[in-house]
Amino acid sequence: MSVSVTVDSCTKSKLSLTVTGAEDGGIIYIQGQDAACRQTTSSTSSSHEIDFTSCNIQWEESFKVIIQKKALYQTGADKQIPVMCVADLGDLTVSNNITAADKDDDAGQNKTVKPTATMKLFSNGVDVAGTTVKLTDTITMLLELDADYIQDFDIKARDCTADNIEVITSYCAADTELFPHMSQVSQGQLSASFGAFRTTSLAGGSVSMPFSCTLQVCLGSCSATVCTDGQNSYGRKKRQAEDQDNDVDEISVGSSIKITTEEVVIEAPEANDDLCMNQGLFIALIIIMTGGLVATTIAAVMMFRKLQEKAGILDKLSGGHFSNMPIA
């Protein structure tokens, strides 16, 4: 069986190969490098990873992969495969390109790799994507390259929208009072924290807010942007030169939440029957006491008049002798 090689992936940091038809005890290595770049082959299908750092290989630099049947010596039947990993700036293709050499046995095999990313929305450290949050909550948006690409690529936000509201435009925040500039957490990770907001809804209730961003992908690190307000943002203004970042392609990410207001319910005070009975009893007592006082006053006045009349009669009968006597 002849030896065949399949390129599984080729990134800025490593080359992954699958070798079939090799010999047990054979070797695969990078020409011109030391034993750290040498691995053993087998007669069954075997996978091999070539670490660029360990093997002193640079991105977009041509190198040779050698597959020998015997570890002690190399013959003309052994495989010599020139490989160069590059990023196609037009369509974000990461591939191995086979160039002409004196001894090339295997045909070139291209591997297309397109970075992918995700958007996550958090509130108080909890992923709230697809759920309902309050209008008073603080939301954190996290934009992140997937793990397979975060070491080799970086991102910056070109445009972001929340429903029909532009929050990032031309690589900078459209309105920093609503949504801030993007900040970099680490390579391949951007974040922004903002107070929840939503489009105007006369109907009330919860309002769905879909968020979406178009991300610029850079080979290696992206540089920060100084926006018109003097603040740094990981987005590039249109007037900046195209060669400031090694732009590769653009990718889109998105997520959605529902935002509801906190309704204030005004409730009537709970009925207090005991208090109402006490108030009624108190009023009744006041009425009774007032009536008793009035009746007592009237009776006293009437008694006083009767005594005066009695004193007048007695005074007449005695010829005025009682007029100067005290009334009993």
Side-chain angles (χ1 to χ4, degrees):
M1 178 186 294
S2 62
V3 178
S4 64
V5 178
T6 301
V7 177
D8 298 317
S9 68
C10 187
T11 70
K12 189 180 178 183
S13 58
K14 66 183 178 181
L15 171 69
S16 297
L17 301 170
T18 299
V19 179
T20 57
E23 298 286 339
D24 289 329
I27 58 173
I28 177 173
Y29 61 96
I30 303 299
Q31 188 179 63
Q33 302 302 322
D34 57 24
C37 297
R38 187 174 64 185
Q39 301 177 24
T40 303
T41 63
S42 65
S43 58
T44 60
S45 178
S46 57
S47 297
H48 304 272
E49 286 191 352
I50 308 299
D51 182 74
F52 286 1
T53 302
S54 300
C55 296
N56 195 30
I57 298 172
Q58 301 297 322
W59 181 261
E60 297 185 338
E61 177 184 81
S62 180
F63 56 92
K64 278 190 178 182
V65 177
I66 310 297
I67 303 174
Q68 292 181 194
K69 293 181 179 181
K70 302 295 182 180
L72 292 178
Y73 55 85
Q74 181 182 12
T75 70
D78 294 331
K79 301 294 181 180
Q80 301 180 37
I81 308 171
V83 175
M84 183 170 63
C85 295
V86 298
D88 187 329
L89 300 185
D91 55 5
L92 192 59
T93 299
V94 180
S95 61
N96 66 312
N97 290 343
I98 307 303
T99 59
D102 292 337
K103 180 67 176 62
D104 295 338
D105 291 69
D106 286 348
Q109 301 175 39
N110 293 333
K111 182 68 176 179
T112 301
V113 179
K114 184 178 180 67
T116 55
T118 57
M119 175 191 291
K120 295 180 180 179
L121 300 171
F122 295 94
S123 179
N124 294 322
V126 178
D127 189 345
V128 294
T131 67
T132 299
V133 301
K134 298 189 292 292
L135 195 57
T136 54
D137 287 346
T138 297
I139 309 299
T140 298
M141 176 186 290
L142 179 65
L143 307 175
E144 183 177 26
L145 277 172
D146 291 338
D148 291 340
Y149 313 104
I150 202 167
Q151 183 177 356
D152 304 324
F153 298 93
D154 199 4
I155 53 174
K156 58 171 72 172
R158 190 193 75 181
D159 297 296
C160 293
T161 60
D163 197 3
N164 60 350
I165 302 172
E166 291 185 341
V167 292
I168 297 290
T169 179
S170 299
Y171 302 93
C172 287
D175 181 358
T176 54
E177 292 186 2
L178 181 68
F179 193 95
H181 296 301
M182 284 287 180
S183 60
Q184 186 181 56
V185 179
S186 60
Q187 180 168 316
Q189 291 182 320
L190 305 177
S191 72
S193 294
F194 56 95
F197 61 92
R198 65 184 196 175
T199 53
T200 303
S201 173
L202 299 180
S206 61
V207 176
S208 180
M209 288 294 290
F211 290 83
S212 63
C213 289
T214 299
L215 308 180
Q216 183 74 48
V217 181
C218 307
L219 180 59
S221 298
C222 294
S223 59
T225 294
V226 179
C227 295
T228 54
D229 61 358
Q231 299 298 313
N232 287 344
S233 177
Y234 274 79
R236 184 192 62 216
K237 293 179 289 184
K238 289 183 177 179
R239 67 171 181 265
Q240 288 183 292
E242 291 296 324
D243 59 357
Q244 287 194 1
D245 287 304
N246 193 0
D247 300 341
V248 176
D249 204 354
E250 294 176 351
I251 54 179
S252 296
V253 293
S255 188
S256 178
I257 54 177
K258 289 185 177 180
I259 300 178
T260 184
T261 57
E262 285 187 301
E263 296 183 356
V264 179
V265 179
I266 302 176
E267 297 180 350
E270 296 181 359
N272 191 331
D273 295 337
D274 293 338
L275 179 61
C276 292
M277 290 177 61
N278 292 339
Q279 288 177 341
L281 179 61
F282 177 75
I283 294 173
L285 289 174
I286 291 297
I287 294 174
I288 292 172
M289 291 175 64
T290 302
L293 181 60
V294 171
T296 302
T297 302
I298 294 174
V301 171
M302 292 179 64
M303 183 176 293
F304 179 76
R305 288 181 177 178
K306 287 182 179 181
L307 289 174
Q308 281 186 328
E309 291 176 358
K310 182 178 179 181
I313 294 172
L314 292 174
D315 187 55
K316 290 179 180 180
L317 292 174
S318 59
H321 292 159
F322 294 95
S323 58
N324 295 322
M325 294 180 63
I327 300 174

